[in-house]
Amino acid sequence: MAVVFLTFWAVASIVHAHVVPNMTVEAEFDSAGGYTLRINVDPRTFLASDPTSLPPVPASWYLEQTPDQVTATHEKAQEYLTRSLGLLFEGKKTVLPACKIRAMDGADNTPLKADTQEVHLLATASGQLPANSTTFQVDFAKDSNTSLILLHSMAGKTELRPQVIFPGETSRPFQLHVAAVPDTPPGAPASKGNNIYLIIAISLACIVIITGWLLLSHYRHHHRAHRKPGAGKM
């Protein structure tokens, strides 16, 4: 009987426990040295120290807030993300930039609707890579109270292996391929400015040649016209 009771209690606990939320970060890099982070965060992560103690947050929680309350909510989300996510470029840690935050439907990532059953916040941060950066990592704080799914893309090409990171862990390095401005090698085509000077020089040379040919033709014609009859005969 005791065994049956304990089994029932365990099953009931599982049924009433809420699913542990996670965070998703999409890190997108371009070949010119810019990056954009799109962070999908469940508000339960910053509303409670134990996110599983709260049920999924419905649309009414967000839609019924006043503008000042919305601002406060976004500030709480930013504080949580700044505390939880450290960005490492070439192994050097930097602070997460300020994010633009908007609410969305957590089920399908579409705009928030009145009947949305689970609200998520999409935080977007953008910036420029520090000079000479070749690697990127995320340092996930120990008190983040959730897990992290990290996806990378470089110049539109998405990495096929997403990373799962737990609090206190650092993601594996992601290789960055930023285009450098190449020096003009010997024998390379001349620049646009040099091409213009070359065209002018060739044009002037052509004018000189044509002018010289015309003058020579005129001289020969004039010499023949004034040559005495019988000149040159033996």
Side-chain angles (χ1 to χ4, degrees):
M1 186 67 180
V3 174
V4 174
F5 174 77
L6 290 175
T7 302
F8 173 79
W9 180 84
V11 172
S13 298
I14 294 173
V15 170
H16 287 89
H18 300 294
V19 177
V20 178
N22 57 42
M23 184 190 307
T24 302
V25 176
E26 298 178 24
E28 179 181 324
F29 302 89
D30 61 50
S31 57
Y35 70 87
T36 299
L37 305 179
R38 297 181 181 85
I39 308 166
N40 184 328
V41 57
D42 190 314
R44 290 180 291 169
T45 56
F46 59 84
L47 292 177
S49 57
D50 179 11
T52 62
S53 65
L54 298 177
V57 180
S60 57
W61 169 80
Y62 189 87
L63 295 175
E64 294 175 3
Q65 293 184 17
T66 65
D68 288 342
Q69 290 172 330
V70 169
T71 299
T73 295
H74 290 182
E75 289 176 351
K76 288 180 181 178
Q78 178 71 56
E79 291 171 1
Y80 172 78
L81 294 174
T82 302
R83 185 175 70 251
S84 299
L85 300 175
L87 310 183
L88 279 73
F89 297 101
E90 208 69 18
K92 298 179 181 179
K93 191 172 182 178
T94 185
V95 177
L96 178 74
C99 300
K100 294 181 179 179
I101 300 175
R102 65 178 177 85
M104 64 181 183
D105 192 312
D108 53 14
N109 297 340
T110 58
L112 189 63
K113 300 175 286 292
D115 60 350
T116 293
Q117 299 298 310
E118 184 173 349
V119 174
H120 282 194
L121 299 180
L122 178 63
T124 304
S126 301
Q128 287 293 124
L129 299 176
N132 303 317
S133 295
T134 60
T135 60
F136 168 76
Q137 294 170 274
V138 171
D139 182 25
F140 202 35
K142 293 181 179 179
D143 60 348
S144 299
N145 69 18
T146 186
S147 58
L148 171 67
I149 299 174
L150 177 61
L151 303 98
H152 300 99
S153 66
M154 183 75 213
K157 185 177 181 180
T158 303
E159 186 183 40
L160 298 179
R161 294 186 303 158
Q163 300 183 48
V164 179
I165 307 167
F166 296 98
E169 295 183 346
T170 301
S171 66
R172 65 176 178 266
F174 176 71
Q175 298 298 318
L176 303 172
H177 305 285
V178 180
V181 178
D183 295 329
T184 304
S191 65
K192 184 176 180 181
N194 291 337
N195 286 335
I196 293 174
Y197 290 125
L198 180 61
I199 292 172
I200 293 174
I202 293 174
S203 300
L204 290 174
C206 291
I207 292 172
V208 171
I209 292 172
I210 292 172
T211 303
W213 181 80
L214 291 174
L215 290 174
L216 180 62
S217 298
H218 178 75
Y219 171 78
R220 286 177 177 175
H221 177 75
H222 179 77
H223 180 71
R224 288 173 182 171
H226 291 80
R227 188 168 53 180
K228 295 179 179 180
K233 292 182 180 181
M234 296 299 296

